[in-house]
């Protein structure tokens, strides 16, 4: 009764209760004496009232006053209690979609573990090869989640009962979110007309497996409470969130061991068409190599059909032989459309024994341009590199090339439409070029107005500059020149390097990824091609690359701590690009193979430098996205270069473009972009990719005629479908680092018995309960005062 009155937990034992007052005791005693004295004095004068009646009214008056005094003194109880408790044990079950995979089990060991978890064979039975084949037929198809739940509810293992006897069991399921659940509660799958007492089969539909986040969240919910450990049952194929291994390190600091139970196969048979290596923009009639990256396991030597489709129309089928690991297959594609955007799709049909076909397909989007790249090549003496590069440029149907020779026959410009006699001083003529190739020409060749036009072309109009260094003037004479500021390198004090005859370019990590310098799918082949560029004479002395520049080729270094010599480097300048080539001996890669790779380098480099300007169509407003294909949830970056009618940069804090799903005008939404700092006229913004489809960024209707349109697509392969392997290494590392251990499904019955014995925890709790702040005191005051009033009225007292 006392526990109920004080609002205490009935499971806790009360050791001691003390009464105390928040008001001063001396003050309380004075009030008590005064109240009693007042009551006696009040009724002592009423001699006409019978003595017994006077005593009763005195007592009632004093009781009412004393009750009020008790409230004023604010009494409270000091209570000390003890409670016997257990440490908590967390059990977590992964319910992301990868747990719905049905692994094809073939080895006797895998069949044995699955059979024991499902209760098909006794836990102490060992399977041989022949027995395993018989049991395998009886297993049927079992999802990873089925095996996990069956093991948790296995009568012989009796895991949950053992844990509940020893610990305060806390059970959770998780995918991208953590949920507290009853481990024996039925789910919708088992509640519709099924046996409610049977082991429930949870729905594995989570979009992502955030294992690290879930572990950290579950442990944090018991912060300050004693934890015996946390058990995680999962395939550990985490794709988002925190790394579970890093979370395990923090658990070790908190002395919370992690017990991991990996479910699934570490390498189930699978074919993953990972992606396409191809340009995003091509020209009509180009021969475009499309390299399809395929990763497979479990199908080595198997012939399959790789389908290539353009806008869902089958273009070509190629029979390939799969290898274990990564392989590339190449298609040659020649676009026939004048312009527009094409979807290139590649897929392999589901093979027998494969667990999913979701990752058997990929796509790539290309945009076809119908205009030529305008190139101006300014050169001094016709050196070897010029002679070979000239023919590369003239043979390329995508290019509209003009040459300006500062030395040689002065009548050449008058006799050939390919040549001009001097650099234009008319902005309309100078700013029409997409690319200026500047050879070994002294800076004094250009007057101040011409130099300013070149700088303006790059900074404001999205053009590009390529400097091809030489022994006479470039880049040494541009050190204190505005064109030198355009370059991605710091020009040295002058002079040239003396290299050995066997020194050749070295491809950097960025160079292997670059459209310009990656000459082969295989990095070792690309490196071998570049090794033919030797000897290299007359390399200028440089002071390294500028901050923010990307070095694609460098000279070999004695150690990685040395500064790169930027043999080929580039950076953005304003809205355009600038690239520097330090050697004039690239023609040497023609050795034994002709101009195959020499032409490829220059063609890829020119395309890399000029495509962003071409995509803007040289209009007043050019809109561009950072990629042309995304998955849901990706960040889409959009840029707009906004110029006035006189092609001067617009100066304003923001600019708005319209995002619209193609063929769906009702989907239009406005995206506000902000000005890029220190670059007038250039604006950037971002948008989170949503549902799959084809989209475009375009200008507001009033600017439509002076702007291009940037098209892109969203096509999502869900992250839970990209990887199908159980990650045993992640489970092992997380368990070992935290101080726990890795367990098997079939061995869960021995888990609790192998843990150290638990001692009961006695928690002492001291609490205070207010005794005055209850309706009881109010009722007593009303009762005492009301009874006194009744007696006074009965005796006709005032």
């Amino acid at each position: 009764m006392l526990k109920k009155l004080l609002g205490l937990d009935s499971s806790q034992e009360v050791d001691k209760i003390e009464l105390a007052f928040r008001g001063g005791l001396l003050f309380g005693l004075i009030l008590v004496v005064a109240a009693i004295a007042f009551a006696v004095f009040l009724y002592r004068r009423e001699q006409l009232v019978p003595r017994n009646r006077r005593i009763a009214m005195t007592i009632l008056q004093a009781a009412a006053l004393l009750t009020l005094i008790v409230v004023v003194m604010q009494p409270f109880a000091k209570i000390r209690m003890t409670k016997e408790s257990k440490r908590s044990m967390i059990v977590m079950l992964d319910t992301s979609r990868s747990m719905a995979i049905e692994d094809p089990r073939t080895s006797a060991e895998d069949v044995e573990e699955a059979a024991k978890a499902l209760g098909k064979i006794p836990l102490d039975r060992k399977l041989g090869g022949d027995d395993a084949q018989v049991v395998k037929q009886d297993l049927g198809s079992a999802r990873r989640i089925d095996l996990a739940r069956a093991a948790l509810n296995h009568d012989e293992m009796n895991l949950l009962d053992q844990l509940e006897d020893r610990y305060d069991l806390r059970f959770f399921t998780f995918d991208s979110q953590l949920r507290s659940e009853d481990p024996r509660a039925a789910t919708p799958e088992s509640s519709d007309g099924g046996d409610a007492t049977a082991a429930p089969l949870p729905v594995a539909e989570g979009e992502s497996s955030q294992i690290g986040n879930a572990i950290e969240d579950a442990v944090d919910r018991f912060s300050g409470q004693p934890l015996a450990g946390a058990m995680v049952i999962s395939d550990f194929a985490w794709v988002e969130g925190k790394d579970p291994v890093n979370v395990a390190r923090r658990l070790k600091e908190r002395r919370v061991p992690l017990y991991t139970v990996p479910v699934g196969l570490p390498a189930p048979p699978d074919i993953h068409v990972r992606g396409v290596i191809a340009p995003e923009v091509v020209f009509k009639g180009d021969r475009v190599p499309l390299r399809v990256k395929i990763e497979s396991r479990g199908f080595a030597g198997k012939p399959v059909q790789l389908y290539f489709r353009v806008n869902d129309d089958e273009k070509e089928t190629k029979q390939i032989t799969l290898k274990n690991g990564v392989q590339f297959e190449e298609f040659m594609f020649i676009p026939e459309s004048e312009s527009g955007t094409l979807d290139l799709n590649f897929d392999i049909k589901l093979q027998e024994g494969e667990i999913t076909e979701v990752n058997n397909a990929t796509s790539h989007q290309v945009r076809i341009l119908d205009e030529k790249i305008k190139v101006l090549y300014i050169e001094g003496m016709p050196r070897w590199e010029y002679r070979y590069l000239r023919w590369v440029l003239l043979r390329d149907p995508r290019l509209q090339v003009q040459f300006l020779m500062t030395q040689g026959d002065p009548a050449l410009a008058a006799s050939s439409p390919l040549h001009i006699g001097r650099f234009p001083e008319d902005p309309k003529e100078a700013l029409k070029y997409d690319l200026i190739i500047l050879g070994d020409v002294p800076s004094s060749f250009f007057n101040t107005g011409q130099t300013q036009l070149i700088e303006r072309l790059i900074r404001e109009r999205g053009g590009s500059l390529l400097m091809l260094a030489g022994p006479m003037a470039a880049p040494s004479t541009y050190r204190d020149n505005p064109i030198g500021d355009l370059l991605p390198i710091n020009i040295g004090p002058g002079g040239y390097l003396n290299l050995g005859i066997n020194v050749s370019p070295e491809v950097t990590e960025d160079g292997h990824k670059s459209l310009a310098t990656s000459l082969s799918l295989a990095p070792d082949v690309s490196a071998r091609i570049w090794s033919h560029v030797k000897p290299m004479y007359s390399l200028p002395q440089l002071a390294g690359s500028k901050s923010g520049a990307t070095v694609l080729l460098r000279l070999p270094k004695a150690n990685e701590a040395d500064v790169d010599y930027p043999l080929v480097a580039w950076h953005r300048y304003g809205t355009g690009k600038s690239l520097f080539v330090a050697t004039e001996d690239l023609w040497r890669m023609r050795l034994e193979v002709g101009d195959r790779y020499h032409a490829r380098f220059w063609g890829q480099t020119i395309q890399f430098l000029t495509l962003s300007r071409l995509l803007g169509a040289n209009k007043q407003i050019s809109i561009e996205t950072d990629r042309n294909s995304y998955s849901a949830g990706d960040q889409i970056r959009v840029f707009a270069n906004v110029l006035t009618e006189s092609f001067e940069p617009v100066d304003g804090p923001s600019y708005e473009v319209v995002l619209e799903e193609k063929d769906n005008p009702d989907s239009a939404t406005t995206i506000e972009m902000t000005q890029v700092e220190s670059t007038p006229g250039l604006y950037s913004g971002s948008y989170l990719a949503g549902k799959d489809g084809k989209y475009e960024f375009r200008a507001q209707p009033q600017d439509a005629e002076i702007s291009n349109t940037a098209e892109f697509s969203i096509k999502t392969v869900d992250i839970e479908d990209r990887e199908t392997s159980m990650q045993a290494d992640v489970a092992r590392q997380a368990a070992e680092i935290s101080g726990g251990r890795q367990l098997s499904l079939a061995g869960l019955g021995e888990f609790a018995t192998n843990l150290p014995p638990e001692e009961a925890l006695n928690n002492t709790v001291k609490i205070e309960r207010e005794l005055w702040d209850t309706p009881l005191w109010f009722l007593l005051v009303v009762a005492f005062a009301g009874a006194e009033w009744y007696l006074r009225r009965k005796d006709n007292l005032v």
Side-chain angles (χ1 to χ4, degrees), residues 78-143:
K78 295 181 178 180
I79 307 169
R80 188 178 70 189
M81 308 176 67
T82 60
K83 181 178 181 180
E84 189 175 283
S85 62
K86 304 175 183 178
R87 291 196 296 170
S88 296
M89 174 66 76
I90 297 173
V91 177
M92 304 172 61
L93 176 62
D94 188 349
T95 56
S96 62
R97 196 160 64 239
S98 63
M99 289 291 286
I101 291 175
E102 300 175 3
D103 293 294
R105 300 173 183 271
T106 55
S107 70
E109 182 180 358
D110 293 334
V111 172
E112 180 183 312
E113 181 179 46
K116 288 180 179 180
L118 293 170
K120 301 292 185 180
I121 61 173
L123 296 178
D124 57 357
R125 181 179 172 185
K126 297 292 182 183
L127 290 182
D130 295 337
D131 292 339
Q133 292 302 315
V134 175
V135 173
K136 179 183 175 182
Q137 300 297 324
D138 188 38
L139 283 180
S141 60
R143 306 178 301 166

Side-chain angles (χ1 to χ4, degrees), residues 318-455:
K318 184 177 182 181
Q319 180 169 301
I320 64 173
T321 301
L322 294 175
K323 307 172 185 177
N324 276 334
V326 176
Q327 66 189 88
F328 291 91
E329 300 296 334
E330 185 169 304
F331 292 86
M332 191 59 66
F333 172 56
I334 302 176
E336 299 174 354
S337 302
E338 293 290 340
S339 61
T341 302
L342 300 177
D343 286 322
L344 311 181
N345 303 288
F346 302 86
D347 67 273
I348 297 174
K349 295 187 182 301
L350 181 70
Q351 303 297 307
E352 184 178 355
E354 195 177 4
I355 59 180
T356 180
E357 65 176 342
V358 175
N359 58 1
N360 282 30
T362 190
S363 64
H364 182 79
Q365 193 175 76
V366 297
R367 182 175 176 181
I368 303 173
L369 292 181
D370 58 352
E371 61 183 292
K372 292 183 179 294
I373 301 171
K374 300 176 182 64
V375 179
L376 175 61
Y377 187 177
I378 309 172
E379 185 59 274
M381 291 294 292
R383 47 188 172 158
W384 283 107
E385 189 65 41
Y386 165 77
R387 295 175 183 179
Y388 288 117
L389 176 55
R390 183 177 188 275
W391 288 111
V392 170
L393 298 176
L394 291 176
R395 287 201 314 267
D396 194 328
R398 302 171 301 173
L399 307 181
Q400 179 181 318
V401 188
Q402 287 185 304
F403 299 91
L404 172 56
M405 304 302 298
T406 64
Q407 301 180 50
D409 185 358
L412 192 60
S415 61
S416 171
L418 296 177
H419 291 77
I420 60 176
R422 59 181 310 210
F423 188 84
E425 295 190 20
D426 181 359
K428 184 176 181 181
E429 288 296 317
L431 299 179
K432 73 179 182 180
Y433 294 107
D434 302 306
L435 171 66
I436 293 177
I437 302 176
L438 184 56
D440 198 15
V441 177
S443 62
S444 59
F445 176 77
F446 304 100
N447 61 37
T448 301
Q450 293 168 333
T451 300
Q452 290 175 347
L453 283 174
I454 293 175
E455 194 272 345

Side-chain angles (χ1 to χ4, degrees), residues 507 512 519-532 597:
V507 188
H512 283 302
L519 301 181
S520 172
L521 289 174
D524 57 334
V525 175
S526 186
R528 188 164 63 250
I529 295 169
W530 284 110
S531 70
H532 293 157
Y597 296 116

